[in-house]
Amino acid sequence: MREVLESKWLTTGPATLKFENKFAQYLGAKHALAVNSGTAALQLAVNVIGLQPGDEVLVPTFTFTATAEVATFFGARPVLCDSVTDGFNIDVADAESRVTSKTKAIIPVHIAGEPCDLDAIHKMASDHRVHVIEDAAHALPASFRGRRIGTCSELTAFSFYATKNITTGEGGMLVTDSEAYAEKAHCMRLHGISSGAWKRYSREGTWSYEVLHAGFKLNLPDILSALGSAQLSKADQFWQRRSEIARRYCERFAKAEELQLPTIVGPGCEHSWHLFLLRLRPATLRIGRNEFITELKRLGVGASVHFIPLHLHPYYAQTHGYKPGDFPNAEDAFSRCLSLPIYPTLSDDEVERVIRTVEKVLSTYRRTVVAVA
Ligand SMILES: Cc1ncc(COP(=O)(O)O)c(C=O)c1O
């Protein structure tokens, strides 16, 4: 960071190139393109596959709005899909039932860092000739059947937003093995001009450039890339700590009938533990999810909800005609879920305090079964 400030090269330049190379190497991918948000990475991804007005893009309703909104940037329609039964990730059979002649792509999201069933997604995509763009905002580092997320599909978008597993404050990375996609994304990232602006000012560059497309302004400045490189060096260490915390929560809550713990991922798969998503079993408690969070907060533990399904938001209801009841699995997950604190600097004592506070709320509001003689 200090080096970048002293170099006086603040915008996209050598530190960004270094971060991109380091990121690609970390995943084992060919190309990584740094951008100023995860949303920007998704925007570039749908742009390079040639998304057009009138096209349709399959996206889970159980996600953050960025996953779906990028389709609308290009006049395409986000087609929402339900979650798997008793889970958070996209239900591939439900997605397949929504394929039409206009479907151009599917954007699966590895919710909380739990890898989606990419085998089923790729089969469906190849049967219907649709592109796969992974929204891996939560999935660094995560793996599917021995392969790092970021190396499994044509295009993968990562986010470095403040709360993500590694952060640059705001930032993102588009990853691909395709030379053609990388080249187009590189050009569109910076106004559609023929070469990076920083090259124009370097010794080997010239003042000349050509505008090839109406591009965007999505580049990541060197100051943030330097932060990204430093964070990436610690990514495994951060992940170890997140995994340890998740393991501790799982062990301690294993016997609590009121709680449904995160799904155990399959062989060769790794969870990134970006979020620790619990689900309550409503029949066992005298309070609902919202009151549960309020009680935790009253006792000094912050919890949140990821996510309010998109179809329950006014924009998706009013503009795209969705309504409550359209996606029962996602609504069930939403009504019962909460995210407990999980981040690398959470100390053992703090983890213990979270566990004890959850246990206290459980014991206060447990529904006692009265035996009838
Ligand atoms: C699932 C998902 N996709 C995309 C994004 C967008 O990332 P960014 O905030 O970096 O644009 C987020 C952000 O939180 C997210 O949770």
Side-chain angles (χ1 to χ4, degrees):
M1 173 68 92
R2 191 192 183 121
E3 232 172 75
V4 171
L5 290 174
E6 283 171 358
S7 80
K8 302 192 176 59
W9 192 279
L10 304 184
T11 187
T12 309
T16 300
L17 197 59
K18 189 171 150 198
F19 179 34
E20 291 173 335
N21 290 337
K22 192 168 167 172
F23 197 86
Q25 200 176 8
Y26 178 77
L27 296 180
K30 286 205 179 120
H31 306 279
L33 249 103
V35 284
N36 55 24
S37 69
T39 309
L42 288 167
Q43 179 182 343
L44 274 183
V46 294
N47 181 243
V48 300
I49 62 159
L51 194 69
Q52 299 289 328
D55 287 343
E56 293 178 353
V57 181
L58 300 165
V59 291
T61 188
F62 198 94
T63 185
F64 183 60
T65 187
T67 316
E69 81 190 8
V70 294
T72 70
F73 294 175
F74 299 91
R77 177 182 159 81
V79 174
L80 303 183
C81 306
D82 207 353
S83 306
V84 290
T85 313
D86 211 23
F88 299 101
N89 284 338
I90 192 166
D91 178 350
V92 185
D94 183 74
E96 186 164 23
S97 74
R98 297 173 197 275
V99 170
T100 71
S101 58
K102 297 178 189 160
T103 309
K104 184 91 176 188
I106 179 167
I107 311 184
V109 184
H110 308 290
I111 294 291
E114 177 195 347
C116 292
D117 183 353
L118 289 175
D119 285 343
I121 289 167
H122 288 147
K123 177 168 187 324
M124 189 280 270
S126 95
D127 287 351
H128 298 281
R129 300 170 69 84
V130 303
H131 295 276
V132 179
I133 297 166
E134 288 175 52
D135 180 340
H138 301 183
L140 184 82
S143 310
F144 179 75
R145 296 201 199 285
R147 296 175 69 186
R148 270 272 155 95
I149 296 299
T151 62
C152 303
S153 299
E154 299 163 69
L155 291 149
T156 305
F158 291 92
S159 164
F160 308 135
Y161 178 69
T163 56
K164 296 298 189 279
N165 283 26
I166 72 162
T167 183
T168 56
E170 297 283 357
M173 193 74 83
L174 179 63
V175 174
T176 182
D177 275 355
S178 155
E179 193 75 43
Y181 285 158
E183 204 175 300
K184 173 127 193 248
H186 201 270
C187 177
M188 294 306 288
R189 173 177 68 172
L190 199 66
H191 303 296
I193 63 179
S194 54
S195 59
W198 70 283
K199 275 203 194 139
R200 282 191 281 142
Y201 303 106
S202 66
R203 225 170 257 139
E204 75 270 24
T206 74
W207 55 267
S208 174
Y209 64 92
E210 284 181 304
V211 176
L212 304 175
H213 303 280
F216 315 114
K217 177 75 165 81
L218 306 175
N219 56 307
L220 190 72
D222 267 17
I223 306 177
L224 298 186
S225 293
L227 207 56
S229 283
Q231 286 268 298
L232 187 57
S233 302
K234 298 183 193 157
D236 289 342
Q237 188 188 319
F238 289 160
W239 177 73
Q240 294 286 354
R241 179 62 186 154
R242 284 176 181 271
S243 304
E244 233 172 71
I245 296 168
R247 200 163 39 244
R248 184 134 5 144
Y249 283 153
C250 286
E251 278 166 16
R252 294 287 295 277
F253 296 141
K255 294 209 175 95
E257 282 172 22
E258 302 80 8
L259 302 178
Q260 189 174 356
L261 299 176
T263 322
I264 306 293
V265 294
C269 298
E270 293 286 2
H271 198 303
S272 76
W273 296 113
H274 170 53
L275 301 171
F276 189 87
L277 286 183
L278 273 181
R279 273 165 291 171
L280 303 180
R281 297 189 198 276
T284 63
L285 288 164
R286 288 185 287 110
I287 54 171
R289 189 272 318 276
N290 293 357
E291 295 98 320
F292 200 96
I293 291 178
T294 308
E295 275 303 281
L296 289 179
K297 191 172 173 195
R298 196 177 61 78
L299 297 168
V301 169
S304 189
V305 174
H306 299 87
F307 289 96
I308 304 169
L310 297 182
H311 69 283
L312 301 180
H313 288 284
Y315 166 74
Y316 292 94
Q318 286 156 18
T319 310
H320 299 289
Y322 293 109
K323 57 183 187 318
D326 281 351
F327 302 99
N329 294 340
E331 283 178 40
D332 172 63
F334 164 61
S335 68
R336 304 195 284 120
C337 74
L338 66 145
S339 312
L340 289 188
I342 187 163
Y343 45 89
T345 52
L346 203 63
S347 69
D348 287 349
D349 286 350
E350 287 167 327
V351 173
E352 188 59 31
R353 192 156 67 78
V354 173
I355 292 169
R356 292 199 177 180
T357 309
V358 170
E359 286 171 345
K360 184 165 194 303
V361 178
L362 290 178
S363 68
T364 310
Y365 293 100
R366 186 166 286 136
R367 203 185 279 282
T368 39
V369 180
V370 182
V372 181

